[in-house]
Amino acid sequence: QVQLVESGGGLVQPGGSLRLSCAASGSIFSINAMGWYRQAPGKERELVATITGGGSTNYADSVKGRFTISRDNAKNTVYLQMNSLKPEDTAVYYCNAGVFSRPSAGWGTYWGRGTQVTVSS
């Protein structure tokens, strides 16, 4: 089985920073793209940032210049550095990854269970 576990969420004041981490574990042969999504109450889950296996990144317009996605392939981990946080960034943040697993010998998309980020004064 493949599991993704997020960590690093919490409560911060507007203008503050948080660093989220997501570690993948299990029967992993390789990981392609990884990304972060978020979902606020009453809203659809939306893309925040993605990073390919080669390091190419994409960001939602709302977070460009404030958030940075990165990865450590040796650790099967993706990070999201969030700076200049705003109240509208408040949401549950989910990790996503495309994984080629050993037992299935195929690609699958996996999600973490989320970590809460609250930006409030």
Side-chain angles (χ1 to χ4, degrees):
Q1 295 182 351
V2 176
Q3 295 183 342
L4 275 61
V5 180
E6 303 96 336
S7 62
L11 173 65
V12 297
Q13 295 183 344
S17 298
L18 282 175
R19 182 176 175 84
L20 305 183
S21 299
C22 173
S25 62
S27 301
I28 299 171
F29 183 79
S30 65
I31 301 177
N32 194 357
M34 305 185 79
W36 290 95
Y37 291 71
R38 67 186 181 187
Q39 186 170 24
K43 296 184 178 180
E44 296 290 325
R45 187 173 299 186
E46 64 177 352
L47 182 146
V48 177
T50 61
I51 183 167
T52 68
S56 179
T57 60
N58 290 98
Y59 298 91
D61 289 341
S62 60
V63 306
K64 287 182 179 178
R66 300 188 298 120
F67 291 10
T68 302
I69 188 171
S70 61
R71 64 191 290 168
D72 185 334
N73 292 333
K75 297 180 179 179
N76 289 333
T77 299
V78 63
Y79 306 94
L80 185 68
Q81 178 66 47
M82 305 185 294
N83 299 325
S84 301
L85 284 162
K86 305 175 181 179
E88 50 263 44
D89 295 318
T90 297
V92 177
Y93 283 70
Y94 297 90
C95 177
N96 169 266
V99 179
F100 190 95
S101 63
R102 294 188 182 92
S104 67
W107 288 97
T109 300
Y110 297 86
W111 293 88
R113 294 190 176 185
T115 184
Q116 178 71 49
V117 172
T118 302
V119 185
S120 177
S121 60

